[in-house]
């Protein structure tokens, strides 16, 4: 995901979910750049994807959560952050706006039945990361402020209406 300047064309609007487990580990997927013929570019990112026509960011976040993890019925908090940036999406310049939501789950299984063909080709693995391990790992992750987003998500989940302690009511 290299940065790009001067991107023309449509803006891709996305919803992302910072999904935390009961130990406040974050679920991240490892992706690869399909335009990298040497398969040397790897990076970690949160659950989420593009909004479909007429879909709200919250509806997209719930759909992406279900499609990419198999989880549904979780209480979303947010959006608590919105960012935009330019990058190369498998070699194609892209301008993207991302709306970030937070959710917590006790279920750390990941169901991939809802994955698209692109996801099956581009995602190499997933992992529940303790934020300190992610920070110390030296791996590449996106967005660059992901660590602060994960910490912010934990605070949002602890203080949002409709939550008890650190667990949202469903």
């Amino acid at each position: 995901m290299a940065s790009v300047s001067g991107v023309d064309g449509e803006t891709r609007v996305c919803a992302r979910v910072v999904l935390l487990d009961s130990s406040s580990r974050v679920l991240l997927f490892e992706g690869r750049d399909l335009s990298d013929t040497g398969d040397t570019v790897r990076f970690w990112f949160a659950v989420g994807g593009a909004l479909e026509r007429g879909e709200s960011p919250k509806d997209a976040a719930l759909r992406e959560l279900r499609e990419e993890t198999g989880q549904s019925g979780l209480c979303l908090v947010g959006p608590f952050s919105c960012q935009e940036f330019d990058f190369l999406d498998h070699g194609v310049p892209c301008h993207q706006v991302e709306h970030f939501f937070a959710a917590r789950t006790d279920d750390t299984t990941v169901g991939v039945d809802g994955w698209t063909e692109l996801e099956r080709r581009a995602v190499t693995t997933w992992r529940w990361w303790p934020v300190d391990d992610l920070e110390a790992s030296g791996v590449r992750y996106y967005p660059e402020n992901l660590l602060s987003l994960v910490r912010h998500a934990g605070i949002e989940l602890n203080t949002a209406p409709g939550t008890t302690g650190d667990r949202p009511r469903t």
Side-chain angles (χ1 to χ4, degrees), residues 86-107:
D86 298 328
F87 73 106
L88 289 175
D89 184 14
H90 305 290
V92 177
C94 182
H95 182 77
Q96 186 156 293
V97 175
E98 293 186 336
H99 300 269
F100 284 86
F101 294 83
R104 190 177 303 275
T105 185
D106 291 325
D107 182 0

Side-chain angles (χ1 to χ4, degrees), residues 62-165:
L62 290 168
R63 177 184 49 76
E64 290 287 342
L65 190 59
R66 185 182 65 256
E67 289 174 358
E68 294 182 359
T69 70
Q71 298 207 26
S72 61
L74 298 180
C75 178
L76 286 184
V77 173
F80 68 87
S81 181
C82 183
Q83 312 185 81
E84 61 183 279
F85 52 92
D86 298 328
F87 73 106
L88 289 175
D89 184 14
H90 305 290
V92 177
C94 182
H95 182 77
Q96 186 156 293
V97 175
E98 293 186 336
H99 300 269
F100 284 86
F101 294 83
R104 190 177 303 275
T105 185
D106 291 325
D107 182 0
T108 58
T109 59
V110 175
V112 299
D113 291 342
W115 283 20
T116 65
E117 181 59 32
L118 175 63
E119 289 164 339
R120 291 180 190 284
R121 291 176 41 228
V123 176
T124 59
T125 192
W126 59 86
R127 177 176 170 187
W128 290 91
W129 284 90
V131 72
D132 292 341
D133 289 1
L134 182 61
E135 187 172 34
S137 70
V139 299
R140 183 181 300 172
Y141 47 80
Y142 289 97
E144 292 177 2
N145 67 335
L146 180 64
L147 295 173
S148 66
L149 289 171
V150 172
R151 290 181 177 112
H152 192 149
I155 292 167
E156 291 291 323
L157 289 167
N158 287 339
T159 60
T163 62
T164 304

Side-chain angles (χ1 to χ4, degrees), residues 18-36:
V18 178
L19 182 59
L20 303 178
D21 71 1
S22 58
S23 299
S24 291
R25 297 178 304 168
V26 61
L27 176 63
L28 298 178
F29 296 103
E30 183 189 54
R32 61 191 191 102
D33 181 348
L34 296 176
S35 69
D36 173 26

Side-chain angles (χ1 to χ4, degrees), residues 5-19:
S5 61
V7 172
D8 293 324
E10 292 186 33
T11 296
R12 182 174 187 250
V13 180
C14 295
R16 297 238 171 253
V17 180
V18 178
L19 182 59

